[in-house]
Amino acid sequence: MIDATASFREYETGLGEQPLRQGDVLEFLHEEEFPTGWRDTIAIVVTANCDLSFGKHWGTITYVPVIPLDTFVQQFTIPKIIATECANSEKALRSLFTEGIALDSTERALEMLQLGYPMEEISVLLPADSKEGPRFESELQTLGLYWAAQAELKQCTDSKQFWDRIEKLTIDLDKARKPRKASRETLRKEIRNKLKSFPGDSLYLSQPGPGHAGGYVVMLRLIRSIEDSTVSLRPADEYHSPGHHRARRIARLKTLYCHRVVQQMAQVFTDIGLPKDYEHSRDSHLDKYAESWGN
């Protein structure tokens, strides 16, 4: 069976002496400001071709970063899943109390959990005649595991360390909850469901540039800029001006994918209506400004 993703790519090469254009794929030579490790991040130029052709960009081009899929999952998908599970556990805890005391008792239980109280002391918050003791402890333990994982995942410095911590989390969850289906498989299903529908401010690309296969995600909301003079368009540029460049062009997206990136980015930032109070305030300030000119 042939792996369709192995040879599929959204870019073209052989740009030669072509000038910088929208859709050009850049590879960074120095550390940049991103939510991820810069060496794995590339970028796509989104400055309009007409601005580049007529010099209306004033020597500064805009781009959006493109990060590896694995990094996207670690930094954006997994945290959302864990946050949802935390909310579910809190809701389950609240359901164990009568409506009148649910909020106060749940908040107190969470506070005691955070302060490191032993489970037997927290359990006294339940009514004496309650039969929900085992479930109460299970949900509290689950919440504690998620809290600890959230803090520790932020300290992970590489992919292996991150996924090792996730593996430990799933094992600990199985011990605390004894679910019918292994927590590992449940998490895998959640990740798969999330990746079937990417957020509107991101776009998946299988292979946006040479040496960058395995799946990447375009972060359409993270618009950045770079001086065009610091972008190397051909190897000779770096040879003649060593240390001068911040990035090099490695490819250009095919027209279809270039248009899709720009189109979807435009949708993210489509204008929305502003309240009438804003319009009245704006008009008043502009009128006063115009009247004051020349006085």
Side-chain angles (χ1 to χ4, degrees):
M1 184 175 183
I2 298 175
D3 182 1
T5 64
S7 59
F8 182 83
R9 66 186 195 185
E10 295 92 347
Y11 70 89
E12 56 188 6
T13 55
L15 303 180
E17 298 299 314
Q18 293 185 30
L20 194 67
R21 284 289 180 265
Q22 186 179 81
D24 279 2
V25 182
L26 308 182
E27 184 177 71
F28 295 100
L29 304 175
H30 303 284
E31 186 170 1
E32 301 290 337
E33 293 294 329
F34 299 115
T36 180
W38 69 274
R39 291 188 182 278
D40 296 321
T41 301
I42 53 179
I44 295 174
V45 176
V46 293
T47 302
N49 284 336
C50 61
D51 289 348
L52 292 170
S53 297
F54 294 102
K56 294 189 292 182
H57 64 301
W58 297 100
T60 300
I61 58 173
T62 52
Y63 64 85
V64 286
V66 188
I67 66 177
L69 175 62
D70 188 53
T71 302
F72 177 83
V73 171
Q74 291 179 31
Q75 298 208 9
F76 299 97
T77 306
I78 294 291
K80 288 182 179 179
I81 292 175
I82 291 180
T84 299
E85 291 302 320
C86 285
N88 290 338
S89 289
E90 289 189 30
K91 184 178 179 180
L93 284 171
R94 196 168 286 116
S95 70
L96 301 180
F97 298 93
T98 59
E99 186 174 346
I101 64 171
L103 181 59
D104 289 343
S105 296
T106 302
E107 291 301 320
R108 178 55 182 157
L110 297 179
E111 180 182 24
M112 293 175 72
L113 177 65
Q114 196 168 31
L115 293 174
Y117 278 72
M119 198 61 63
E120 56 269 20
E121 291 188 31
I122 306 177
S123 296
V124 300
L125 293 172
L126 279 174
D129 59 346
S130 175
K131 299 180 180 179
E132 298 289 355
R135 186 183 172 198
F136 180 74
E137 292 189 10
S138 175
E139 293 297 345
L140 276 177
Q141 289 174 355
T142 297
L143 199 52
L145 291 172
Y146 280 127
W147 283 355
Q150 283 178 319
E152 292 174 15
L153 289 174
K154 292 178 181 178
Q155 305 302 318
C156 292
T157 57
D158 58 54
S159 183
K160 183 180 184 305
Q161 189 178 24
F162 181 94
W163 289 111
D164 284 347
R165 183 61 186 83
I166 291 295
E167 178 72 15
K168 182 179 184 302
L169 171 63
T170 59
I171 293 173
D172 291 341
L173 287 173
D174 287 344
K175 292 178 181 177
R177 300 187 300 188
K178 298 180 175 58
R180 295 180 180 178
K181 189 174 183 179
S183 298
R184 180 177 183 175
E185 294 307 313
T186 300
L187 178 60
R188 191 194 308 278
K189 182 179 179 181
E190 285 292 323
I191 294 173
R192 186 181 294 113
N193 289 338
K194 292 285 186 183
L195 295 182
K196 284 182 179 178
S197 179
F198 275 84
D201 59 358
S202 61
L203 176 68
Y204 175 82
L205 295 175
S206 296
Q207 189 175 179
H212 294 278
Y216 275 71
V217 180
V218 186
M219 307 301 291
L220 298 168
R221 198 177 292 276
L222 298 179
I223 300 177
R224 300 289 188 268
S225 63
I226 187 173
E227 293 181 14
D228 59 7
S229 62
T230 65
V231 177
S232 167
L233 301 183
R234 53 195 69 80
D237 294 342
E238 295 177 55
Y239 176 78
H240 291 300
S241 302
H244 172 73
H245 300 95
R246 288 173 55 190
R248 65 165 65 99
R249 178 174 64 185
I250 60 173
R252 177 176 294 165
L253 289 186
K254 294 176 182 177
T255 302
L256 174 65
Y257 304 104
C258 174
H259 288 173
R260 178 62 181 179
V261 167
V262 177
Q263 179 190 57
Q264 194 162 321
M265 188 179 72
Q267 291 174 350
V268 171
F269 294 99
T270 297
D271 285 343
I272 61 173
L274 295 174
K276 290 185 177 181
D277 288 348
Y278 161 80
E279 296 179 356
H280 291 158
S281 176
R282 176 199 63 195
D283 293 344
S284 175
H285 288 162
L286 293 178
D287 287 343
K288 290 179 179 179
Y289 174 79
E291 290 173 3
S292 67
W293 181 80
N295 292 336

